[in-house]
Amino acid sequence: QVQLVESGGGSVQPGESLTLSCTASSTMLYHYNIGWFRQAPGKEREGVSCMSARDSGRLVYADSVKGRFTISRDNVKNTVYLRMTSLRPDDTAIYYCARANGRECQIREDEYRYWGLGTQVSVSA
């Protein structure tokens, strides 16, 4: 059973930073495309960022987070991170990580089979 677990969410003020973590049991994240998605209240879930498997080097970011968010992976810790800086109120959402097969990652939900339960990020003054 593949389980992904997100952590690191919280409540911050605009301009502050958070780092989310995605860890896994029964799977090595290195071998899969890993994506971060978010769902704000009353909105559909949207793709935020993804990292392709192994040493592809491919990183994808949604336009809304380019230059502010950074995805990375620690293979020893089997953890994928989403470093979020200059947070804005419209970044408020539940953030999910997900795992996909495939050659190059895309931030499209239908490519991801396994999902975590999410972690809440709230940004307000």
Side-chain angles (χ1 to χ4, degrees):
Q1 181 83 16
V2 175
Q3 284 188 312
L4 302 176
V5 179
E6 303 92 340
S7 62
S11 296
V12 297
Q13 295 187 337
E16 293 186 339
S17 301
L18 280 174
T19 299
L20 305 183
S21 300
C22 174
T23 58
S25 61
S26 303
T27 187
M28 294 301 296
L29 298 180
Y30 171 79
H31 294 295
Y32 298 93
N33 298 336
I34 303 299
W36 283 98
F37 295 79
R38 66 185 182 186
Q39 186 166 21
K43 295 187 177 181
E44 293 187 354
R45 190 156 56 186
E46 63 174 354
V48 175
S49 180
C50 70
M51 168 181 281
S52 286
R54 293 175 283 280
D55 297 319
S56 164
R58 174 177 169 86
L59 306 176
V60 177
Y61 296 96
D63 288 343
S64 59
V65 306
K66 279 181 184 175
R68 300 189 299 123
F69 290 12
T70 303
I71 190 170
S72 63
R73 185 178 63 214
D74 185 323
N75 296 329
V76 174
K77 295 183 177 180
N78 197 31
T79 300
V80 173
Y81 301 99
L82 185 68
R83 175 66 174 167
M84 307 185 296
T85 64
S86 301
L87 282 162
R88 311 184 305 215
D90 62 358
D91 293 316
T92 295
I94 299 174
Y95 284 72
Y96 301 88
C97 66
R99 193 197 90 172
N101 295 323
R103 191 169 181 178
E104 294 185 334
C105 75
Q106 304 289 342
I107 44 174
R108 287 172 33 184
E109 282 192 57
D110 58 1
E111 298 206 354
Y112 293 81
R113 179 177 180 183
Y114 296 101
W115 293 78
L117 296 179
T119 185
Q120 176 71 50
V121 172
S122 299
V123 185
S124 64

